[in-house]
Amino acid sequence: MNEMLRVDQLQKVFTMHQTGQKRIVGCDHISFSVRKGEFLGITGKSGAGKSTILKCLYRTYLPTGGHIFYASQQFGAIDLASADERKIIVIREKEISYVSQFLNIMPRVTALEFVMESLLELGETVSSAKKKAEEMLDHFIIPEMLWDTFPRTFSGGEKLRLNLARAMVRQSKLLLLDEPTASLDQASKETVRERINELKQNGTTMIGIFHDLDFMDSVVDHNYKLESGVLKEV
Amino acid sequence: MSDLTDRPILNVRDLNKRFGRGCVHCRKPEDLPGLSNRCPYCGSVWACIHVSFDLYEGEILGIVGESGSGKSTLVRSLYFDAPVTSGTGEIASFKEGKANIFTESAQQKRYIKNYLMGMVYQNPWLGLKMDFSSGGNIAEKLIAAGNFNVHQIRQRASKLLDHVEIPLTRMDEKPVHFSGGMQQRVQISKALANNPSILLLDEVTTGLDLSVQARVLDLIRRIQRESHTAMIVVSHDLGVIRMLSDRTIVMKQGRFVESGLTDQILEDPHHPYTQLLVQSLL
Ligand SMILES: Nc1ncnc2c1ncn2[C@@H]1O[C@H](COP(=O)(O)OP(=O)(O)OP(=O)(O)O)[C@@H](O)[C@H]1O
Ligand SMILES: Nc1ncnc2c1ncn2[C@@H]1O[C@H](COP(=O)(O)OP(=O)(O)OP(=O)(O)O)[C@@H](O)[C@H]1O
Ligand SMILES: [Mg+2]
Ligand SMILES: [Mg+2]
Ligand SMILES: [Zn+2]
């Protein structure tokens, strides 16, 4: 039907060669599905494996078992767990965005360019990308005087908001959010909620990890809990 | 922009390179005793062993590995600086990708270098004629690529130097008097002179101080954004690779030990050597 993503028995086991081939289970037997336009929220204790699941979906981690069926616009039904790297690169460019729990290394481009890049990758013109990027920076309350500076000197909250602006300036098919409100004040959280609702209205499917349960309840359609390695809807 | 309907613009299969004349113990890389790529009997080195990869349009492919792992040998083999021992290489825009570039005539190899490739050497003395002016170095590459109009050559040379932020007032100076970072930038503009479809960059930031390194990396990113030139970036520095490349190959003792999306190599390395390398970065 309208299934956007179906995760089937996802497993990620890390083998640490530096410490005597130690095996660490990131997640195992994880199954769930998300329909187009839905928001699925995940909670769970620290170390439960929430980020691991998200990173497998984005293929920063290469799954060691299971499938991640995704309805790609470019390629049709595709298993992200085993898809060719080149296809993953295109899907990241065009369809799936990801905001990591810990900030990516900051690029050596200005904040405005950083947000614009996200739209230029989709083929937007420079002038339209600039306009939308400015609106988004404004929406996430990033002071205008910072727009043409390099983000490496930004505060923690500013960096997070900038990453959110980059991921949310576009209408992604699938948006993965790992603790998107972790270090934000109430006013900033409000701007995130507004943008999430806009994206949802326009059909973006989302999966988010939250510690802030009140915030999560106010945006998600389904609430999942990862407990003792088992992911269940609550 | 990546277009998957495209074939790779370069594909290399089973490239092997041995330095030294070899003996009965090292005729093939498999004959070598132990894990080393150096023959204990005759001292020959298999610097590249069964190297295979594809390079796609517009992508930056990173190659990382410790000193002596064969990175420079690989890119210098692609640039025909030394003949390979065996292997095939095909370039989509050369004879419709149906010829093995490594077995072409010297004249055809010159054509490929002059028209299709650019190279930035680890050592600027290999890439530049130090007793020519900077403009002259670029002119040389332009002439080799079939441009003979003196006025146009000068115009293009000044544009290229401007692009890498070398003041035009210094166009007629010899690079021997330039700083290391400036020499690398002149090398980059020379390498770009013929609008190559493949740009090879060997340790383009080593030996430069940190602020200059950053500017050279910025320049490479800018070039990639603006021209979508496919690049192979070689570095022993994972930080450089992280900044530049989409996909990364890890090399050790002449062999590819792991390859993957750059963020996957960094966050989920599989091979013991890659895990060690990544640990030393963090
Ligand atoms: N790259 C990695 N290498 C080795 N082990 C890892 C890696 N990433 C995660 N793990 C392990 O997998 C388990 C799950 O980690 P994960 O980051 O998914 O937890 P989490 O639920 O997101 O926790 P938190 O709420 O603290 O962010 C942990 O035991 C962690 O140590
Ligand atoms: N011309 C040559 N003659 C003999 N051996 C060579 C020659 N060039 C390279 N080698 C050997 O081949 C191996 C690979 O060398 P190469 O220069 O490709 O390494 P690299 O990975 O670029 O190292 P670095 O990071 O130090 O630049 C080394 O063992 C080196 O000693
Ligand atoms: Mg986490
Ligand atoms: Mg080298
Ligand atoms: Zn030998």
Side-chain angles (χ1 to χ4, degrees), chain A residues 93-129:
Chain A
E93 230 167 55
K94 307 282 185 201
E95 303 184 26
I96 304 185
S97 300
Y98 166 60
V99 178
S100 61
Q101 179 174 12
F102 301 108
L103 300 167
N104 300 325
I105 34 134
M106 279 292 146
R108 298 185 44 84
V109 294
T110 66
L112 181 65
E113 285 170 326
F114 184 59
V115 178
M116 281 173 68
E117 273 179 1
S118 175
L119 295 168
L120 296 175
E121 277 179 358
L122 296 179
E124 289 217 18
T125 63
V126 172
S127 63
S128 130

Side-chain angles (χ1 to χ4, degrees), chain B:
Chain B
M1 200 121 305
S2 358
D3 180 357
L4 279 178
T5 56
D6 270 352
R7 284 186 305 150
I9 61 171
L10 168 69
N11 82 66
V12 170
R13 289 293 172 272
D14 208 14
L15 184 156
N16 292 290
K17 171 66 185 175
R18 185 184 64 207
F19 289 110
R21 72 161 68 88
C23 69
V24 289
H25 303 284
C26 65
R27 289 268 178 264
K28 296 195 298 291
E30 289 74 22
D31 296 341
L32 285 166
L35 285 176
S36 164
N37 58 340
R38 187 175 293 274
C39 174
Y41 302 99
C42 71
S44 296
V45 178
W46 283 94
C48 292
I49 301 172
H50 300 313
V51 164
S52 299
F53 67 95
D54 294 320
L55 177 72
Y56 291 85
E57 193 179 328
E59 84 166 332
I60 301 188
L61 179 65
I63 298 184
V64 70
E66 66 198 355
S67 181
S69 56
K71 307 180 298 297
S72 294
T73 302
L74 173 56
V75 283
R76 295 188 64 180
S77 298
L78 295 175
Y79 206 59
F80 309 118
D81 282 345
V84 300
T85 307
S86 62
T88 61
E90 293 165 353
I91 296 178
S93 55
F94 178 72
K95 297 190 176 173
E96 296 172 347
K98 288 181 183 133
N100 179 4
I101 57 171
F102 297 126
T103 54
E104 285 292 320
S105 67
Q107 187 194 357
Q108 292 296 331
K109 285 179 178 168
R110 241 184 343 264
Y111 168 83
I112 293 170
K113 278 171 73 156
N114 292 336
Y115 285 82
L116 306 179
M117 287 195 190
M119 169 83 163
V120 175
Y121 286 89
Q122 189 163 359
N123 177 352
W125 286 82
L126 286 175
L128 295 175
K129 292 216 162 70
M130 290 296 179
D131 53 349
F132 276 33
S133 69
S134 307
N137 267 283
I138 293 169
E140 193 197 10
K141 177 105 187 186
L142 284 166
I143 291 165
N147 304 281
F148 299 110
N149 180 316
V150 176
H151 178 68
Q152 277 173 6
I153 287 175
R154 197 162 168 84
Q155 238 179 5
R156 172 118 177 103
S158 57
K159 211 173 140 202
L160 285 159
L161 287 171
D162 186 52
H163 198 65
V164 299
E165 296 172 46
I166 300 283
L168 294 184
T169 51
R170 310 200 61 174
M171 182 169 165
D172 297 319
E173 285 178 38
K174 296 174 181 170
V176 68
H177 303 305
F178 287 178
S179 71
M182 286 172 78
Q183 288 174 350
Q184 284 309 53
R185 283 183 278 141
V186 176
Q187 263 211 95
I188 291 171
S189 59
K190 179 176 181 174
L192 288 172
N194 59 344
N195 283 319
S197 41
I198 301 167
L199 181 60
L200 309 169
L201 299 156
D202 192 0
E203 304 282 2
V204 64
T205 58
T206 23
L208 305 181
D209 75 52
L210 281 177
S211 64
V212 183
Q213 277 191 25
R215 284 179 64 196
V216 171
L217 294 180
D218 287 347
L219 171 67
I220 294 166
R221 290 219 51 147
R222 183 156 59 91
I223 292 164
Q224 199 265 342
R225 274 204 302 274
E226 289 168 2
S227 67
H228 292 293
T229 309
M231 304 185 194
I232 298 180
V233 172
V234 162
S235 180
H236 63 270
D237 182 352
L238 262 180
V240 169
I241 297 292
R242 167 159 74 181
M243 259 209 66
L244 293 179
S245 66
D246 310 307
R247 293 190 303 137
T248 295
I249 292 169
V250 182
M251 229 177 148
K252 183 175 164 50
Q253 294 186 324
R255 291 185 167 87
F256 285 0
V257 297
E258 183 165 358
S259 72
L261 297 164
T262 300
D263 59 326
Q264 189 247 300
I265 290 285
L266 287 164
E267 293 196 41
D268 183 19
H270 288 204
H271 191 277
Y273 174 67
T274 316
Q275 292 189 353
L276 197 68
L277 205 66
V278 168
Q279 246 170 36
S280 61
L281 175 81
L282 301 174

